[in-house]
Amino acid sequence: MRAGDLAAEIGRRGLYKMRDGRPVEAQQIHARVGQYPHLFVKEGTFITLYDQAV
C-alpha cells in the first residue's frame, strides 16, 4: 500500500491519532517505516510488511 492509503485505513479503523487528535498523516507513516526496517519494506511508493520467509 501507499503511505496515504495506510494512513486512511489506520484512521478508518481508529487505530491511532496524533497527539492533537488529528488522524495520522502519510508523513508519519513514512517516519515510522524508516524506524522499523525489520518490519517494513519500502519499494518506491509502496510499503509492505517484511516477509521473513524471503
Side-chain angles (χ1 to χ4, degrees), residues 14-44:
L15 298 175
Y16 181 83
K17 290 187 179 187
M18 295 175 67
R19 285 186 206 168
D20 61 5
R22 292 181 297 134
V24 68
E25 298 173 349
Q27 285 181 320
Q28 186 70 21
I29 300 298
H30 281 291
R32 294 296 109 207
V33 167
Q35 293 294 314
Y36 298 97
H38 61 286
L39 296 177
F40 300 102
V41 176
K42 189 173 177 186
E43 296 176 355

Side-chain angles (χ1 to χ4, degrees), residues 39-52:
L39 296 177
F40 300 102
V41 176
K42 189 173 177 186
E43 296 176 355
T45 60
F46 287 92
I47 298 167
T48 59
L49 286 172
Y50 179 73
D51 185 1
Q52 292 181 353

